[in-house]
Amino acid sequence: MRFGHCLQTQRRCPVHGKEASGRPGQISPFANILAPIEISRGCPWGCTYCQTPRLFGTCMRHRSIPIIAQFARRHKDIRFTSPNSLAYGSDGRKPRLEKVELLLKALAEQKKPIYFGTFPSEVRPDFVSREALALIAKYCANKSISLGGQSGSPAVLRSIGRGHSRCEIEEACELSLEHGLTPRWILSSACPWETAEDQQMTLDLVRWIEGKGGKVRAHRFMPLPGTPLAGTRPASLSEDAEAILGRMALKGRLTGTWSR
């Protein structure tokens, strides 16, 4: 999107195995190309900023374990993409951890590092539990976990349709730390209609996460075509927010792009 208009680029030429990896007929997913395995599509929550339910619907579908395992054999380590990794095998509203364990147990047979609930995937904070984290600790090589959340303001969380509270973000961070995982909270800065008070509540949460030993991945809000917030404009970040996020980035506690 540019200047409020959607632009369609020309179709690109396919990338062949030799060009992608330097070896004929073989693609090395984590040498030159990041190619996590897509395990789920769709999302029932319908957050107003997100294209996922508009592109893939609100009914979650999951790739079968044998097919995931087949593709995983081509990887030197196993990573995933999913709107919510801990929703694997479920309707996306309530976790089915027995399905998650079946997946991780099958992949563990390949004796490769497994990274579950890490970028480019994430997990919803209300899906984080001691039982879920115990599975990650048992089968995976994770040292961190990516937690969705977007804002520390209850009003903003309600307006964008997240379906969880700030308290659930805090609980997920604390549970992650108890299980030896660094929480990496995903922040969407400058959401439309975000007030100075909303930004201050988000900054308070950012400082709380930093103080606990967590990290933050920041994104500046971008109105995406097809979403209810298409055509809106990002709010302006306060000078205080810019300064605090900048200091965290210099200390290595925050990554991403949060400013204009």
Side-chain angles (χ1 to χ4, degrees), residues 134-162:
L135 291 178
I136 293 175
K138 180 178 180 179
Y139 293 105
C140 303
N142 295 35
K143 298 301 181 187
S144 65
I145 187 167
S146 296
L147 301 175
Q150 277 59 48
S151 176
S153 163
V156 172
L157 292 174
R158 286 192 300 269
S159 70
I160 61 179
R162 281 295 300 178

Side-chain angles (χ1 to χ4, degrees), residues 33-230:
I33 298 175
L34 178 65
I37 302 170
E38 185 182 34
I39 59 173
S40 304
R41 281 187 176 181
C43 180
W45 295 96
C47 299
T48 56
Y49 58 86
C50 182
Q51 285 183 317
T52 294
R54 281 89 205 176
L55 292 173
F56 300 120
T58 56
C59 179
M60 287 200 81
R61 289 93 67 206
H62 309 281
R63 183 167 276 163
S64 70
I65 292 174
I67 296 299
I68 294 171
Q70 175 186 331
F71 283 106
R73 292 188 187 98
R74 300 172 179 265
H75 294 236
K76 67 179 183 181
D77 55 19
I78 305 172
R79 303 171 190 256
F80 310 95
T81 181
S82 169
N84 175 15
S85 293
L86 287 174
Y88 180 77
S90 76
D91 62 1
R93 292 282 183 181
K94 295 290 183 182
R96 295 189 62 184
L97 294 180
E98 74 278 9
K99 298 288 189 180
V100 174
E101 182 165 24
L102 285 173
L103 170 64
L104 296 178
K105 186 176 181 180
L107 294 175
E109 294 176 0
Q110 298 189 23
K111 301 189 183 305
K112 300 175 182 178
I114 301 171
Y115 296 90
F116 193 78
T118 59
F119 184 82
S121 289
E122 62 180 69
V123 300
R124 286 181 59 87
D126 48 330
F127 274 58
V128 174
S129 64
R130 287 184 171 84
E131 295 76 15
L133 294 169
L135 291 178
I136 293 175
K138 180 178 180 179
Y139 293 105
C140 303
N142 295 35
K143 298 301 181 187
S144 65
I145 187 167
S146 296
L147 301 175
Q150 277 59 48
S151 176
S153 163
V156 172
L157 292 174
R158 286 192 300 269
S159 70
I160 61 179
R162 281 295 300 178
H164 63 73
S165 68
R166 171 176 170 148
C167 289
E168 286 168 308
I169 297 173
E170 294 173 350
E171 289 170 7
C173 289
E174 291 185 322
L175 284 173
S176 299
L177 289 163
E178 284 178 16
H179 286 76
L181 295 173
T182 300
R184 293 179 178 269
W185 181 57
I186 300 171
L187 160 68
S188 182
S189 67
C191 289
W193 314 299
E194 192 176 65
T195 66
E197 184 180 1
D198 293 325
Q199 288 186 14
Q200 189 57 55
M201 285 188 280
T202 296
L203 291 175
D204 290 343
L205 180 56
V206 164
R207 284 186 286 238
W208 181 86
I209 291 172
E210 180 190 21
K212 289 284 185 177
K215 296 185 177 183
V216 175
R217 183 176 181 86
H219 302 274
R220 183 173 176 80
F221 167 78
M222 178 182 293
L224 298 176
T227 67
L229 295 183

Side-chain angles (χ1 to χ4, degrees), residues 244-259:
I244 290 171
L245 297 179
R247 283 196 294 270
M248 285 184 62
L250 289 173
K251 292 190 291 184
R253 308 305 298 178
L254 180 144
T255 59
T257 304
W258 63 91
S259 190

